[in-house]
């Protein structure tokens, strides 16, 4: 058995403290709620993933390798299932409800008005492999990349922080 296989049912890939203290756990193959009283996991969805996050529009987002599911954890209802044509690393939802998807070919975004959009075509710097991002209080997005240092998006302006600016390396993890 391959010990590095992320799809092993016993490997927790993400935890989320959801509303009312409900803890949700994801493995490579299933989503569970944690029943603390019984000290057990209860199956929420027979489809796991890499990461789970709360959604500002309600429910949770579950990132899989090539799709993202929005789910209502109270009813186990799948609100939407978004397919993406590449391997994904991470997701983040900003306060406006835009979902940012970090993938091996760069940054994608999803919102209900425009659907799924690959941003690397429009902004070449965003074709870098971005592995994590967060929103700052001013609305700027701070992204860490594999090989392009830190990329900052403020409105429609981008700048980088690289080795020449003081980073120890441009390969961020």
């Amino acid at each position: 058995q391959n010990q590095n296989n992320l799809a092993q049912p016993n490997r927790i890939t993400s935890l989320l403290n959801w509303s009312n203290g409900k803890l949700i756990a994801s493995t490579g193959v299933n989503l569970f709620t944690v029943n603390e009283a019984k000290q057990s996991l209860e199956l929420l969805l027979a489809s796991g993933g890499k990461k789970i996050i709360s959604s500002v529009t309600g429910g949770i987002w579950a990132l899989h390798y090539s799709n993202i599911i929005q789910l209502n954890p109270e009813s186990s209802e799948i609100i939407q299932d978004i397919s993406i044509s590449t391997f994904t690393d991470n997701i983040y939802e900003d306060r406006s409800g835009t979902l940012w998807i970090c993938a091996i070919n760069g940054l994608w975004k999803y919102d209900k008005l425009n659907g799924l959009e690959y941003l690397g075509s429009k902004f070449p710097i965003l074709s870098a492999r971005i592995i994590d991002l967060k929103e700052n209080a001013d609305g700027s997005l701070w992204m860490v990349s594999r090989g392009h240092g830190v990329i900052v998006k403020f409105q429609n302006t981008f700048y980088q922080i690289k080795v020449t600016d003081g980073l120890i390396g441009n390969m961020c993890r």
Side-chain angles (χ1 to χ4, degrees):
Q1 188 176 37
N2 182 354
Q3 294 300 315
N4 293 321
N5 182 359
L6 289 178
Q8 290 183 31
N10 63 345
R11 180 163 295 176
I12 300 291
T13 56
S14 188
L15 291 171
L16 175 65
N17 189 1
W18 201 60
S19 67
N20 300 326
K22 180 185 278 188
L23 187 63
I24 300 174
S26 178
T27 69
V29 294
N30 294 310
L31 284 177
F32 298 95
T33 55
V34 177
N35 184 325
E36 292 184 48
K38 295 181 182 177
Q39 296 183 346
S40 65
L41 298 176
E42 296 173 356
L43 185 64
L44 177 62
L45 182 67
S47 177
K50 296 173 69 172
K51 185 168 184 179
I52 47 178
I53 61 172
S54 293
S55 173
V56 299
T57 60
I60 64 171
W61 289 104
L63 174 69
H64 301 271
Y65 298 95
S66 59
N67 72 314
I68 303 141
I69 293 174
Q70 188 177 27
L71 174 78
N72 178 340
E74 300 299 331
S75 65
S76 298
E77 172 196 4
I78 294 176
I79 299 167
Q80 57 186 328
D81 187 346
I82 304 161
S83 180
I84 187 166
S85 62
T86 189
F87 185 81
T88 57
D89 286 315
N90 208 343
I91 54 174
Y92 178 79
E93 187 178 37
D94 67 23
R95 46 184 176 248
S96 73
T98 298
L99 187 65
W100 301 91
I101 304 144
C102 303
I104 60 172
N105 68 342
L107 190 65
W108 296 68
K109 80 173 189 175
Y110 173 81
D111 63 49
K112 289 189 179 201
L113 180 63
N114 299 304
L116 186 65
E117 180 183 6
Y118 174 61
L119 299 176
S121 298
K122 195 184 302 183
F123 306 104
I125 188 62
L126 298 182
S127 65
R129 184 174 185 177
I130 296 167
I131 56 168
D132 198 10
L133 75 150
K134 298 291 184 256
E135 183 178 24
N136 201 356
D138 65 4
S140 60
L141 289 178
W142 289 71
M143 303 166 255
V144 294
S145 73
R146 297 260 173 104
H148 290 84
V150 176
I151 302 166
V152 181
K153 176 187 179 293
F154 183 70
Q155 297 171 349
N156 280 327
T157 302
F158 298 91
Y159 62 92
Q160 287 177 272
I161 302 170
K162 304 179 282 189
V163 170
T164 55
D165 302 304
L167 281 183
I168 197 158
N170 289 332
M171 182 68 77
C172 302
R173 297 191 187 256

